[in-house]
Structures are given as structure tokens and as C-alpha cells.
Amino acid sequence: MIPPARRLTALCLLGAALTACGTTEQEHPAAPASRSPAPSRTPVLAPGPGGLTPVFEHGPRTRGKTVALTFDADMTADQGPRAASGERFDNPGLIRALRELKVPATVFMTGSWAEQYPAEARDLGRDPRFEVANHSWSHYAFTADCYGLPTVDAAGMRADVERAYASLRAAGVPHPMPYFRFPGGCYDQQALRALSGLGVTAVQWDVVSGDAFATDADAVARQVLDGVRPGSVVVLHCTRSAAPTTEQVVRTVVPELRGRGYRFVKVSELIGETGTGR
């Protein structure tokens, strides 16, 4: 989880604890392993040398004032019992705020969260204002020493991503995006090689909001406003239990950035604007 600090390392602490967004709660059977995302015309980056999974951090700085708000809906493999006991891993107020403010957004969702909250996953996946992307199934780290997260070994990385896509589809997300966010933001060459051939673009960020575990919404909003530049990708979270200030942050940041001339877009538009997408 990310404490409210400017250090990039703080972001990865979202790790095992952070969870997600939605509107109601239901349980759903675990989805079986499945294929990689279906080919589409959605912009993605070309593979790197040797077919390595490409990594996207921000859009072009000279193509106008665009900014993408992204929200990690991450739930670890062992948090089901906590949800069953009443801990809230959704944030309907945040989703309502995004709709009221007419802000498009990209939600990176773990498969385990989609299985816990299929109604919310389906609702987000069928709303054209949002795009739902892959945040792994387990939210286990894809590298060692990733801020205390359990790790998935190289042999299991591809299967974990494929299982997440299966869970998203089973929950009713009709077109999960070919974008993947590494749990904790941690990756290395081995992880990029393991996902080669899946057709996904790994999406990182250049603005750390610091919303996880934050209690001072004004401080988080200032951090976002100070960090945004044209083409920025902002990482935020949507969960009442671990990021309780995020709705208020969004309600503060959105009008301020619009007043500065920024236009809110989804990650897919930023990738398309790079000129290297396909």
C-alpha cells in the first residue's frame, strides 16, 4: 500500500493490502484458467527487443493537456475471508463521483476481486466511460522483494494473467483491455519475458497519488496537482477500507485540472497518442 508520501517506492506498498471499487457485493465462483486477451484494434505498444512485453509510463508531453486517472482494484488471494467478514473493498461513492463529473478512467482489476464482486466488475466493464484492464489474478508480486508481497514464480506468471482475464470475462466484463499492471508496480526482465506473446502492454504511471492509507485528502490532492504534466498517468485506488480519501481527492482534483486546461482520457487514448501504438 502507498502511504501519503512523494517517494515512488511508497507506491508499491499498495501491495497486499489495497483493494477496489464498485457498487454492490456478491460472491462468484472462481474462474478457470483461460486464453490471453482476444486480438483487438485497441492501441498497444509494439513488443520490445526479442519480443519483450512493452512498458508504458505516460503519454506524449507535446500533444496537448491530457491526463489519465487510473484506479487499482486490487485484492489479494487471501483477502476473501476479510471481505466475507464485512470489510468493504468497494467504493461506490468514488464511482458515482467519476460519473457525476463525467471523467473517463481505466480500472486495473485483479481477477480475485472480480470473482468477489462480479456485479461491480460487470457494471464497470459495460460502462463506456470506463475501461477495465488486468492487474493479475492473485496480486502476488512478479519480482522478489516487492514490498513484502508474496511472489509468483516465473513459470506461473503467464497463467496468473490468463486466469485474471478468465475471471474478468466470467464476471461479465465483455472486453477486458490488453493492458496489464504489475502488482506493486514491480517488474524485471524475467517478468517481461514471461508475459511475452500475450499481446499485453504493461502500464505503469508517472504520478503517485499517495492515496492509500491517507487521511488527509488535501495533501493527496496537492501531490497529484503538483505532479501532473501533459500525458500523465496518475495511479489511485478505489477501496473504502484502505484508501478512504480518494473520492474527495477526485472531487478536488478534477475541477482544478480542468481549470488548468486538462482533458481527462483513458489509458488507451494516451497509448494511441504516442504514435507507437498499433
Side-chain angles (χ1 to χ4, degrees):
M1 302 293 297
I2 323 168
R6 295 176 181 273
R7 297 172 300 149
L8 180 59
T9 56
L11 172 65
C12 294
L13 294 180
L14 65 94
L18 190 62
T19 50
C21 53
T23 53
T24 60
E25 291 186 273
Q26 295 182 29
E27 293 187 357
H28 191 75
S34 181
R35 63 194 184 284
S36 56
S40 72
R41 296 182 180 179
T42 302
V44 294
L45 297 185
L52 279 182
T53 300
V55 180
F56 177 77
E57 295 183 353
H58 60 78
R61 302 300 194 188
T62 59
R63 297 282 296 275
K65 288 186 171 182
T66 54
V67 58
L69 300 185
T70 69
F71 298 88
D72 286 358
D74 48 359
M75 184 171 181
T76 57
D78 60 353
Q79 286 177 334
R82 290 168 56 185
S85 67
E87 185 170 351
R88 300 305 300 261
F89 294 121
D90 62 347
N91 194 336
L94 170 62
I95 300 306
R96 183 167 57 250
L98 292 169
R99 286 172 169 150
E100 289 174 359
L101 293 167
K102 297 180 170 55
V103 177
T106 303
V107 179
F108 288 89
M109 188 180 294
T110 63
S112 56
W113 189 88
E115 292 177 9
Q116 183 70 39
Y117 302 112
E120 292 88 331
R122 180 170 61 251
D123 179 54
L124 291 167
R126 295 182 180 182
D127 186 337
R129 191 173 305 283
F130 302 103
E131 56 189 15
V132 174
N134 193 315
H135 195 32
S136 81
W137 185 87
S138 64
H139 204 266
Y140 282 14
F142 282 51
T143 68
D145 301 320
C146 184
Y147 304 94
L149 283 174
T151 57
V152 56
D153 61 28
M157 292 176 185
R158 185 184 183 102
D160 193 82
V161 174
E162 290 177 327
R163 183 178 179 185
Y165 275 118
S167 296
L168 296 177
R169 292 189 180 96
V173 177
H175 303 295
M177 303 298 283
Y179 306 143
F180 176 71
R181 177 163 283 169
F182 286 99
C186 303
Y187 70 93
D188 56 17
Q189 293 293 298
Q190 176 179 258
L192 295 178
R193 282 194 299 272
L195 303 188
S196 295
L198 281 178
V200 299
T201 293
V203 176
Q204 297 287 97
W205 53 81
D206 66 316
V207 178
V208 179
S209 70
D211 64 337
F213 288 141
T215 57
D216 186 342
D218 289 339
V220 177
R222 285 195 300 272
Q223 184 155 310
V224 173
L225 293 171
D226 288 347
V228 166
R229 299 169 58 195
S232 279
V233 175
V234 183
V235 61
L236 296 131
H237 308 92
C238 33
T239 174
R240 278 181 277 180
S241 63
T245 67
T246 309
E247 177 189 350
Q248 186 177 344
V249 170
V250 165
R251 291 187 182 276
T252 300
V253 163
V254 167
E256 175 65 25
L257 286 176
R258 281 178 170 155
R260 297 180 185 182
Y262 278 91
R263 179 171 63 92
F264 292 93
V265 300
K266 303 171 191 174
V267 164
S268 56
E269 184 168 335
L270 285 185
I271 292 177
E273 287 178 349
T274 65
T276 58
R278 57 177 172 84

